[in-house]
C-alpha cells in the first residue's frame, strides 16, 4: 500500500558528510510523521530523527548539531543531512513513515529497505 525508497548511503571518511533521501508513494492520504532510524551490527534499531507534519523535529542526543532532518516541498520526501560523521555512526539507516491511508483505511506505519552508512578511514 505504501512504499518507501531510500538512497544516499555509502562509505565516507570520519568528519565527512552524506545526505540520505527517502521518498514515499502509494495510497497515502496524509503524513503524520516521517523519520530515520539506524541499526548497527549487534545492536537494536534506534531513533535518529523525526519530523512531524507541521515540521516539528526531534533528534537523539548524540546527533544533535550534526544531523538535520527536513522534508521536500511535496511532503512525500524526507532528507537526513549528516555531517561530522564518526565511526560510531556506522549503521544501516532506515526511513520510517507514519501515514493515514486513503479511503478511510486508517493509519499505517511503514519502513524502507535501509541504506548502509559506513564511516571509516
Amino acid at each position: 500500500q505504501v512504499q518507501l525508497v531510500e538512497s544516499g548511503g555509502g562509505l565516507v571518511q570520519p568528519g565527512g558528510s552524506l545526505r540520505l533521501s527517502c521518498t514515499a508513494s502509494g495510497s497515502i492520504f496524509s503524513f503524520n510523521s516521517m523519520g530515520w532510524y539506524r541499526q548497527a551490527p549487534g545492536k537494536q534499531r534506534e531513533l535518529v530523527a523525526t519530523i512531524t507534519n507541521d515540521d516539528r523535529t526531534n533528534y537523539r542526543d548524540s546527533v544533535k548539531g550534526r544531523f538535520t532532518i527536513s522534508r521536500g516541498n511535496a511532503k512525500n520526501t524526507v532528507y537526513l543531512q549528516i555531517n561530522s560523521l564518526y565511526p560510531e555512526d556506522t549503521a544501516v539507516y532506515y526511513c520510517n513513515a507514519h501515514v493515514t491511508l486513503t479511503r478511510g483505511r486508517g493509519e499505517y506505519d511503514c519502513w524502507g529497505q535501509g541504506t548502509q552508512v559506513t564511516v571509516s578511514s
Side-chain angles (χ1 to χ4, degrees):
Q1 303 181 82
V2 179
Q3 298 81 39
L4 300 180
V5 178
E6 300 141 333
S7 62
L11 172 65
V12 63
Q13 292 186 342
S17 299
L18 285 173
R19 190 190 195 206
L20 308 184
S21 300
C22 171
T23 299
S25 62
S27 304
I28 300 169
F29 176 76
S30 66
F31 291 88
N32 302 318
S33 67
M34 297 184 78
W36 291 93
Y37 292 70
R38 67 186 182 186
Q39 188 168 18
K43 295 187 177 181
Q44 290 188 332
R45 190 173 297 188
E46 62 185 21
L47 180 148
V48 175
T50 59
I51 185 166
T52 64
N53 63 342
D54 56 354
D55 293 331
R56 287 177 290 123
T57 59
N58 179 55
Y59 298 91
R60 70 179 300 106
D61 287 345
S62 62
V63 307
K64 288 180 179 178
R66 300 189 296 124
F67 291 17
T68 303
I69 189 170
S70 61
R71 296 197 300 167
N73 290 335
K75 304 300 183 184
N76 68 327
T77 298
V78 64
Y79 303 101
L80 187 69
Q81 178 68 41
I82 48 182
N83 299 326
S84 303
L85 280 159
Y86 303 143
E88 49 265 41
D89 294 316
T90 296
V92 178
Y93 283 69
Y94 295 92
C95 178
N96 170 265
H98 189 75
V99 304
T100 299
L101 299 174
T102 57
R103 292 187 283 180
R105 289 177 289 174
E107 297 184 358
Y108 183 71
D109 194 58
C110 54
W111 294 88
Q113 79 283 0
T115 185
Q116 177 71 47
V117 172
T118 303
V119 185
S120 175
S121 55

